[in-house]
Amino acid sequence: MKHAVHRQPLLLSSARHLLRSLGLTAVRTSSSVTSYRLRRWAGTHNAAQPVPVEMARVLVDHNEELTDLRRRYQAVASPLRPGRFWRHNTRQRDFNLRYFRGDNAYVWQLRQLGENPKLKTYLYARYVAAMDERGLLGRLAEDGAFGCWTFSYRSLPLVSRDLLDSVNEIYFLDRHWGLLSRQGYTVLDVGAGYGRLAHRMVEACPGLHRYLCVDAIAESTFLSRQYLRFRGVDDRAVVLDLDEWEEKAAAARPDLAVNVHSFSEMPMSAITAWIGMLARLEVPALLIVPNEGAELLSHEDDYARLDFSPVLAEHGYTLAASEPIIRDDDVRELTGLRDHFLLFVRSGADGRGTGLSPT
């Protein structure tokens, strides 16, 4: 069942997306003034770290593997295909193949932070460091490759939004699902992007058996396969093509599915299809990180936002844990990072239960 929500925010959201479709962004002129000015937005990247020569040869628009993936994905007659949000030319232009880890459609490293990004990243990094009892910030190193914006501080290792988000997500799953102490489990990443979380989780989680990546965007499948191979984690992080993923995922029997800022960019038809497949696969636990706080809203082709929480309920997924990604009220206010972690569980018919941590 589809439910329209929040009429006034819906109108504002629709206006913003219309501006983006024209290559424009609405920007608040000050914290106390409600008028807006327009500016043309283009994603940025940090070119200080050269792209490795062997990767520069591969990360080109005419790459044969990428061309083949585009052709095959275009031919897939499935509701899993992306809606207007990702099909539109402005979204496809919002990343550079060689600098895919820059500020772009995959990770809003800088634009979400607004002014003083180094200060706000420091606050976020200190927050993550305070919970980092396993020393992940030191173990999961950041090198700034492929255009990633990084920040250096005297008291911290080199950090990026990629690194901080990944470590934060891992610790949430450890608190509520026992991620770092489990053994022999498989994770399925729906909307895996360039493989950010796959890379970090393989390096952080000794008990992880397999991490499966699937995405309806041909460029994402291509990039994640190249990136995970470059990072040397493709023995456990496996990229599945859209036209053959379900059979392979069924054979792997995933214990956990993750969807980070992906359902929020899909129409209801695609969300319903993905969740239905997760239910058929009897995946017992599902992490969702939406784009609008704790609200579960689709992104329709006419820019409407629809509540997809009833779809989760209809397929047996119930909310087991909900936290803002930054639990410290002051840090959350100062950084403006108000996303939420939402963990859903489903009692499977195969005896795996909810998959929740016994603690």
Side-chain angles (χ1 to χ4, degrees):
M1 183 181 298
K2 299 180 180 180
H3 300 273
V5 295
H6 305 301
R7 183 171 300 276
Q8 291 183 350
L10 169 62
L11 293 175
L12 180 57
S13 177
S14 298
R16 285 173 175 162
H17 287 294
L18 177 59
L19 291 171
R20 287 172 184 161
S21 72
L22 299 173
L24 299 169
T25 299
V27 182
R28 191 179 296 274
T29 56
S30 74
S31 60
S32 61
V33 178
T34 57
S35 61
Y36 287 82
R37 60 182 171 85
L38 297 179
R39 72 179 182 189
R40 184 167 295 276
W41 178 263
T44 61
H45 62 266
N46 178 11
Q49 184 76 11
V51 177
V53 174
E54 68 276 16
M55 290 294 285
R57 296 194 187 103
V58 173
L59 299 176
V60 292
D61 193 66
H62 59 271
N63 180 284
E64 290 184 7
E65 179 184 346
L66 176 56
T67 300
D68 179 62
L69 284 169
R70 285 171 173 160
R71 177 189 57 78
R72 288 164 52 195
Y73 281 29
Q74 186 65 29
V76 172
S78 167
L80 300 179
R81 289 185 60 190
R84 183 174 184 173
F85 184 85
W86 267 96
R87 285 203 308 264
H88 200 284
N89 287 339
T90 57
R91 298 304 297 177
Q92 294 290 345
R93 288 198 301 265
D94 195 16
F95 65 87
N96 182 311
L97 277 177
R98 291 186 176 180
Y99 297 104
F100 58 88
R101 295 183 69 222
D103 181 278
N104 57 34
Y106 290 121
V107 181
W108 282 15
Q109 295 187 37
L110 299 182
R111 70 185 86 172
Q112 188 178 14
L113 293 174
E115 297 179 356
N116 299 317
K118 184 170 184 177
L119 174 59
K120 292 177 181 178
T121 301
Y122 176 77
L123 294 173
Y124 186 19
R126 294 304 308 177
Y127 168 80
V128 173
M131 74 172 78
D132 189 18
E133 59 185 20
R134 305 271 189 138
L136 297 185
L137 283 179
R139 288 170 45 204
L140 309 182
E142 178 57 75
D143 59 9
F146 305 106
C148 185
W149 289 105
T150 60
F151 294 95
S152 177
Y153 310 101
R154 290 191 180 94
S155 59
L156 293 165
L158 191 69
V159 298
S160 67
R161 187 70 188 273
D162 172 313
L163 176 62
L164 295 175
D165 282 353
S166 299
V167 172
N168 202 12
E169 290 154 5
I170 287 169
Y171 275 121
F172 171 81
L173 287 169
D174 190 50
R175 287 193 298 275
H176 297 284
W177 198 73
L179 183 77
L180 294 172
S181 58
R182 283 180 181 263
Q183 296 295 320
Y185 57 90
T186 295
V187 176
L188 173 63
D189 193 332
V190 174
Y194 66 78
R196 170 186 66 82
L197 187 55
H199 166 220
R200 302 301 188 180
M201 199 175 287
V202 168
E203 292 189 337
C205 305
L208 175 67
H209 172 64
R210 191 80 71 230
Y211 194 108
L212 307 176
C213 300
V214 62
D215 202 296
I217 311 299
E219 288 81 1
S220 298
T221 300
F222 172 72
L223 285 173
S224 56
R225 184 168 284 133
Q226 298 298 331
Y227 183 59
L228 296 172
R229 184 181 301 140
F230 173 81
R231 292 300 188 187
V233 297
D234 55 325
D235 57 334
R236 285 195 290 161
V238 179
V239 181
L240 307 179
D241 293 343
L242 183 66
D243 51 4
E244 59 185 23
W245 80 274
E246 190 173 6
E247 182 179 352
K248 293 183 177 180
R253 300 177 74 241
D255 303 282
L256 169 70
V258 299
N259 183 277
V260 181
H261 300 301
S262 181
F263 282 157
S264 297
E265 299 173 353
M266 299 181 191
M268 185 69 77
S269 57
I271 296 170
T272 301
W274 282 113
I275 294 174
M277 288 183 176
L278 295 180
R280 286 196 295 277
L281 293 174
E282 297 185 316
V283 181
L286 168 62
L287 169 67
I288 299 177
V289 184
N291 284 352
E292 291 82 20
E295 295 183 279
L296 296 167
L297 304 179
S298 72
H299 193 290
E300 303 303 309
D301 284 354
D302 62 359
Y303 302 113
R305 312 306 300 275
L306 306 178
D307 178 11
F308 66 85
S309 57
V311 178
L312 290 161
E314 289 165 10
H315 288 88
Y317 286 99
T318 59
L319 185 64
S322 173
E323 293 178 1
I325 67 166
I326 297 178
R327 292 178 289 169
D328 185 299
D329 294 341
D330 292 327
V331 176
R332 184 169 63 252
E333 178 182 354
L334 291 169
T335 60
L337 299 177
R338 297 182 175 85
D339 297 329
H340 275 65
F341 296 131
L342 305 176
L343 180 64
F344 294 83
V345 297
R346 182 178 186 272
S347 295
D350 62 356
R352 282 182 290 170
T354 64
L356 284 178
S357 169
T359 58

